[in-house]
Amino acid sequence: MDCVASVVSDITKGFGGGMGTLALALDLKGAFNAFLPGPLLDELRGLAGPTRLLNLVSFLVSKRYLFFSSDRSKPRPCGVSVPQGGILSPLLFNLALRRLGQHLPDGVSVAMYADDLLLYVAGILGREASELLELACEQLTPLLERLVLSISIPKSQLCVFSMGRGGGRGISIRINRTVVRS
């Protein structure tokens, strides 16, 4: 709810100034399944939390096994990552991406919930807003690559919030040489 309230507040401020907001909803490809535990554990070490907590998280994301009711004596490893649907997975994922805002240009805000990101520029429309969002995607790419993540462009959406009629027509941005239109 905090993310939604913050975004709505920024959009409303943009309307108050007679301008709109350009927002880019990004989907991260296979975020939970592809996410490697190393970057997450590095972030937790940087927070200087209790060693027991770090050990618990390390165990949860790197030593998981499946047990089948037909043969419970033989556990089978199921890989390493943040478990999809796990109760702690969104929190752990957000911890790993907590420095995301430091990789964005001035004027670009971010709202994040689980593996969904919303980059937006409030109070500006047109080419300037498009260029800021394109630059944000360029600057975000190295961080995502370090975390073994990438943007799913077909699942990403460009949205215009404007009080005027037709205020969002013809706006587009490029992400990795692919055009995303509003």
Side-chain angles (χ1 to χ4, degrees):
M1 294 303 291
D2 291 340
C3 283
V4 173
S6 179
V7 171
V8 169
S9 175
D10 288 346
I11 290 170
T12 304
K13 284 180 198 172
F15 288 164
M19 291 301 291
T21 297
L22 185 61
L24 177 62
L26 295 175
D27 182 82
L28 299 179
K29 242 184 242 183
F32 289 113
N33 297 330
F35 189 73
L36 296 178
L40 168 64
L41 297 174
D42 290 343
E43 282 298 320
L44 287 175
R45 280 187 202 96
L47 292 172
T51 303
R52 286 183 181 202
L53 178 61
L54 182 62
N55 290 340
L56 172 66
V57 171
S58 175
F59 178 78
L60 290 173
V61 299
S62 58
K63 295 181 173 45
R64 292 184 293 126
Y65 296 90
L66 295 175
F67 292 89
F68 295 94
S69 60
S70 62
D71 188 4
R72 295 188 69 73
S73 65
K74 294 181 183 177
R76 296 186 185 153
C78 64
V80 294
S81 68
V82 179
Q84 179 79 31
I87 194 161
L88 290 178
S89 295
L91 173 64
L92 296 175
F93 192 80
N94 286 341
L95 274 173
L97 289 173
R98 71 187 181 92
R99 298 176 197 260
L100 184 114
Q102 297 172 358
H103 294 267
L104 299 175
D106 290 339
V108 177
S109 299
V110 63
M112 182 170 63
Y113 182 75
D115 63 339
D116 295 312
L117 302 175
L118 182 72
L119 304 178
Y120 64 98
V121 179
I124 304 172
L125 277 181
R127 192 68 206 145
E128 184 180 354
S130 298
E131 288 172 357
L132 276 172
L133 287 178
E134 285 179 2
L135 180 60
C137 289
E138 285 175 27
Q139 292 179 351
L140 201 56
T141 299
L143 171 69
L144 294 176
E145 287 174 351
R146 185 178 72 79
L147 298 170
V148 193
L149 297 171
S150 62
I151 297 168
S152 173
I153 297 171
K155 291 184 177 180
S156 298
Q157 180 73 41
L158 186 63
C159 303
V160 178
F161 299 93
S162 172
M163 294 291 284
R165 291 180 183 233
R169 288 199 181 118
I171 295 178
S172 64
I173 66 166
R174 284 192 183 280
I175 303 173
N176 300 332
R177 297 186 207 117
T178 303
V179 176
V180 178
R181 300 184 193 289
S182 61

